[in-house]
Amino acid sequence: MMEKADSVQKLYTRMRLWEFPDQYVIEPTDGSSGSSLAVSRVDGSMKLIDELPECSTLRVPKIYTIFGVVGMLKLLAGSYLLVITERESVGSYLGHPIFKISKLKVFPCDNSLKNTPPEKKKIEMEFSGLLNVAEKTSGLFFSYETNLTLSAQRLNDLGDESRLLPLWRQAEPRFLWNNYMLEVLIDNKLEPYLLPVVQGSFHHFQAAIGKDIIDVTLIARRCTRRNGTRMWRRGADPDGYVANFVETEQIMQFNGYTASFVQVRGSIPLLWQQIVDLTYKPKFELLKLEEAMQPRVLERHFLDLRKKYGAVLAVDLVNKHGGEGRLCEKFGDTAQHVASNDVRYLHFDFHHVCGHVHFDRLSILYDQISDFLERNGYLLLNEKGEKMKEQLGVVRTNCIDCLDRTNVTQSMIGRNMLECQLRRLGVFGAEETISTHPNLDENFKILWANHGDDISIQYSGTPALKGDFVRFGHRTIQGILQDGVNALLRYYFNNFVDGTKQDAIDLLQGHYIVSVGRDTAATSQKGGLEAIASFPLALGLVLTGFLFATMSLRQVRYDFRHFFFSLLWAGISIGIAAFVRANGRVFCNRPRLHNPR
């Protein structure tokens, strides 16, 4: 039974993809004796074959080396195969090798398009164009040997039967990035090809403390339930799943001992939105229509957290005033409905207490949560893998984006917990801290700064703000200037890029299922201002108007009538600019597959 289970679990680690005119053939080349997989280029159907097809002498097939099949996506007329063409070894998770996907490639199975009506073909091309965006997805990790979707504590708690299951069966669906795309392979029972992929971050380092060597790993797992881009995925859905929900696990290994500490972050668990409209900071809107649902949504969210993590301490870092203040007040008031011995809400106005440079004042927050951390602890396994201590609760941190303030705060908590673990194992004395060991201190800061940048890039398109404090322990002039550049880049991505990126995410994750009736109707409905609105065109007209106004103004000294022409051109420019400003939402790059509420 054991041998059989192991043979089922083994995944192919290297393959050769043959591109024939009518099919793709994936041949294992890692020494495995398994069958090759043939995928039809007409309809995407799959079957296992024992021998490669004969090669035509007229047309030699292209051959690619691949390292895993991510899945298959079915669109309107064709299917599309996603595979890993480049990987990078990034370290190990509890002794098992971990790889990062360096390059994804999409192979279309769309030969049937030749006989497809023009309208349907046009829609298919629009959808398949989104897969070019999907190929650039960042922060994807996988392992052929271990379940990356589970924390060390949940892996340790797995029963013997569960451990013998294939990795995709053990996986936590929330963190399985290719969950939807694996369905076709699961239906075809292609066990050795079913490679689980997670999105997030993975970094580690080793440091010497005297004669002792400690190994520290930081792994983040992004939830796929409400996945998306910064402005187009805010707050919670009616089921209580929140945007930018990330589980972060800090693992320390020393002399055979393993300590693990888990934290989570996630958007404010209410129904709210912040729709881009060309302003620098669009207003926050609590959804009035669903006002009665807000307590239920928050309740579902915390119920889910309690089931998965035990006790919950929600640390809310948003401002007490302005638009953030209204969200903060609603969150605090609604949280009273679920407050109990196991669920606690704590507001800490990060900007008011710490300003933009005094992040060392986070010690005030730590004093307020230290009792919770001491009571709920962390996982500790001895040299034999026996559980000496377990984590009984989780700190859930949020700001507005759950990126910048959140990362600074989580790194502070992670630092304190690592010091507790090192004291418990006798590596540190009672008063010893990470700061007293320069090499360990520097590595720890870099670890958390890189982690923060990864999570931020996936949600906002740029590295984290305030990252210089996490990286160096203090704010720097260069860091503050870089924050300014990143803030402007975020504005650009939010307004002019992220709508298309959101569509690609919704397609890959199965949040939007392509269907013939709906999609042919949807494309024909787009009309009115939205059909012609183009920000580049509008900007060009505004600049042209101001150019002509300036040229006319220069001619006034020769002919006073040019003054009126100058006023006319300036008026046209200002009028166009005012019209674009008033209709800002229409001129932004909006998702077409998901209509904001």
Side-chain angles (χ1 to χ4, degrees):
M1 177 67 187
M2 191 84 167
E3 285 174 17
K4 186 181 176 186
D6 283 343
S7 67
V8 169
Q9 255 182 313
K10 186 163 168 42
L11 292 163
Y12 298 139
T13 59
R14 183 184 288 264
M15 289 149 276
R16 195 179 286 133
L17 187 147
W18 300 73
E19 187 178 323
F20 293 101
D22 61 335
Q23 65 182 341
Y24 302 111
V25 175
I26 300 173
E27 174 198 9
T29 56
D30 58 358
S32 304
S33 57
S35 303
S36 297
L37 173 63
V39 184
S40 165
R41 293 182 66 170
V42 177
D43 59 7
S45 60
M46 300 177 172
K47 63 180 179 182
L48 292 172
I49 57 173
D50 292 324
E51 289 186 14
L52 288 173
E54 293 279 326
C55 294
S56 162
T57 50
L58 294 172
R59 190 172 174 187
V60 179
K62 275 189 184 175
I63 301 171
Y64 302 84
T65 297
I66 67 169
F67 301 98
V69 178
V70 171
M72 173 78 87
L73 198 64
K74 183 162 177 52
L75 298 183
L76 211 57
S79 294
Y80 298 80
L81 181 70
L82 277 78
V83 301
I84 301 164
T85 53
E86 289 180 24
R87 71 181 181 191
E88 173 193 348
S89 176
V90 291
S92 64
Y93 178 59
L94 304 173
H96 301 281
I98 303 301
F99 298 92
K100 182 178 184 179
I101 297 178
S102 306
K103 193 172 180 184
L104 277 177
K105 186 166 174 60
V106 177
F107 287 92
C109 307
D110 60 357
N111 287 359
S112 61
L113 273 180
K114 295 168 190 167
N115 307 315
T116 302
E119 187 183 359
K120 194 173 172 184
K121 189 182 288 188
K122 178 174 175 285
I123 300 166
E124 180 79 6
M125 298 313 289
E126 287 178 15
F127 278 124
S128 60
L130 293 174
L131 298 182
N132 297 330
V133 179
E135 282 184 333
K136 299 177 179 67
T137 304
S138 66
L140 300 178
F141 298 86
F142 66 93
S143 170
Y144 299 112
E145 297 177 8
T146 191
N147 185 351
L148 266 188
T149 66
L150 295 185
S151 66
Q153 180 158 307
R154 293 191 66 190
L155 275 173
N156 187 261
D157 290 344
L158 279 182
D160 291 340
E161 282 187 27
S162 299
R163 289 172 199 273
L164 298 178
L165 292 172
L167 292 182
W168 70 270
R169 278 191 180 277
Q170 296 178 27
E172 162 63 75
R174 293 179 305 156
F175 300 131
L176 186 56
W177 181 80
N178 56 335
N179 196 10
Y180 176 63
M181 291 178 279
L182 283 179
E183 285 181 5
V184 177
L185 281 79
I186 292 169
D187 290 344
N188 283 276
K189 298 182 171 57
L190 301 171
E191 297 288 352
Y193 294 95
L194 289 164
L195 180 67
V197 175
V198 299
Q199 186 179 32
S201 173
F202 185 93
H203 296 281
H204 75 107
F205 71 85
Q206 284 187 330
I209 304 174
K211 293 180 181 177
D212 299 319
I213 301 285
I214 71 161
D215 194 299
V216 182
T217 299
L218 197 59
I219 179 169
R221 306 171 179 95
R222 176 178 290 281
C223 180
T224 61
R225 295 285 197 250
R226 190 164 166 73
N227 204 357
T229 57
R230 181 170 169 246
M231 290 295 182
W232 297 111
R233 280 292 182 275
R234 290 296 210 190
D237 66 14
D239 294 320
Y241 295 114
V242 294
N244 201 24
F245 185 87
V246 182
E247 177 184 281
T248 298
E249 181 182 18
Q250 180 177 288
I251 298 169
M252 186 273 293
Q253 291 171 295
F254 163 74
N255 276 0
Y257 286 87
T258 300
S260 158
F261 176 67
V262 170
Q263 303 182 66
V264 296
R265 68 177 79 192
S267 193
I268 293 174
L270 298 170
L271 300 167
W272 63 281
Q273 61 186 13
Q274 191 181 11
I275 304 297
V276 291
D277 57 4
L278 297 181
T279 58
Y280 179 71
K281 196 170 185 179
K283 63 181 181 181
F284 305 103
E285 299 173 27
L286 279 157
L287 300 183
K288 301 295 181 200
L289 291 174
E290 286 92 349
E291 184 65 33
M293 285 180 64
Q294 299 284 21
R296 209 176 317 143
V297 167
L298 188 130
E299 198 174 326
R300 285 173 181 166
H301 177 70
F302 280 104
L303 185 64
D304 185 54
L305 289 183
R306 282 180 60 199
K307 277 183 185 172
K308 291 182 169 68
Y309 301 102
V312 183
L313 171 58
V315 177
D316 184 14
L317 302 172
V318 301
N319 299 344
K320 198 75 175 171
H321 304 289
E324 288 190 17
R326 287 193 298 277
L327 280 176
C328 169
E329 186 180 355
K330 186 70 178 175
F331 186 12
D333 290 346
T334 314
Q336 300 307 315
H337 294 285
V338 296
S340 67
N341 292 336
D342 289 338
V343 178
R344 182 175 145 205
Y345 170 84
L346 172 68
H347 177 253
F348 181 82
D349 192 330
F350 185 101
H351 284 149
H352 178 71
V353 178
C354 302
H356 291 283
V357 290
H358 301 294
F359 297 164
D360 52 319
R361 291 179 184 164
L362 277 172
S363 59
I364 299 169
L365 171 63
Y366 188 76
D367 290 342
Q368 294 176 40
I369 65 174
S370 59
D371 62 326
F372 179 90
L373 293 168
E374 285 167 19
R375 192 166 60 250
N376 292 288
Y378 50 87
L379 171 76
L380 183 61
L381 304 175
N382 65 16
E383 307 99 312
K384 297 175 183 175
E386 296 164 342
K387 192 188 292 183
M388 300 171 65
K389 185 177 172 67
E390 67 179 323
Q391 185 171 344
L392 303 170
V394 72
V395 177
R396 179 208 191 277
T397 312
N398 75 270
C399 44
I400 285 295
D401 298 333
C402 306
L403 297 177
D404 313 318
R405 288 171 274 185
T406 295
N407 205 60
V408 173
T409 303
Q410 284 197 338
S411 70
M412 177 272 293
I413 296 171
R415 172 180 286 259
N416 280 283
M417 292 308 288
L418 180 57
E419 289 171 350
C420 290
Q421 292 160 2
L422 291 171
R423 287 188 197 109
R424 168 77 186 257
L425 294 177
V427 181
F428 274 7
E431 301 301 317
E432 214 169 341
T433 65
I434 290 172
S435 304
T436 56
H437 299 270
N439 182 38
L440 175 60
D441 189 40
E442 184 184 356
N443 278 310
F444 187 84
K445 286 171 183 169
I446 292 169
L447 181 83
W448 271 93
N450 290 341
H451 164 271
D453 286 346
D454 288 349
I455 299 303
S456 181
I457 286 166
Q458 289 157 30
Y459 190 50
S460 73
T462 77
L465 309 186
K466 305 177 178 67
D468 54 336
F469 178 81
V470 181
R471 197 175 293 275
F472 305 114
H474 57 86
R475 295 241 61 182
T476 63
I477 297 296
Q478 186 181 353
I480 292 167
L481 292 174
Q482 188 59 51
D483 281 0
V485 172
N486 286 336
L488 290 174
L489 280 172
R490 284 184 183 183
Y491 172 82
Y492 170 74
F493 290 138
N494 295 162
N495 285 278
F496 306 117
V497 175
D498 282 353
T500 303
K501 186 177 172 185
Q502 184 64 57
D503 281 341
I505 292 169
D506 286 339
L507 209 56
L508 287 183
Q509 310 278 217
H511 299 318
Y512 183 90
I513 312 289
V514 177
S515 66
V516 178
R518 177 175 60 181
D519 290 309
T520 46
T523 49
S524 59
Q525 281 171 4
K526 189 178 176 183
L529 178 59
E530 193 175 354
I532 58 169
S534 165
F535 184 80
L537 176 62
L539 182 63
L541 291 174
V542 169
L543 294 176
T544 303
F546 276 121
L547 176 66
F548 284 150
T550 305
M551 289 166 62
S552 296
L553 206 56
R554 285 182 174 176
Q555 299 298 317
V556 168
R557 56 184 169 176
Y558 305 116
D559 186 344
F560 191 72
R561 285 179 302 175
H562 283 286
F563 178 71
F564 297 102
F565 286 126
S566 177
L567 287 178
L568 175 67
W569 283 114
I572 290 171
S573 290
I574 292 167
I576 294 172
F579 178 78
V580 171
R581 171 69 188 84
N583 297 277
R585 290 189 176 189
V586 179
F587 282 88
C588 293
N589 176 235
R590 298 164 62 82
R592 290 184 55 197
L593 306 186
H594 155 78
N595 291 318
R597 292 177 288 242

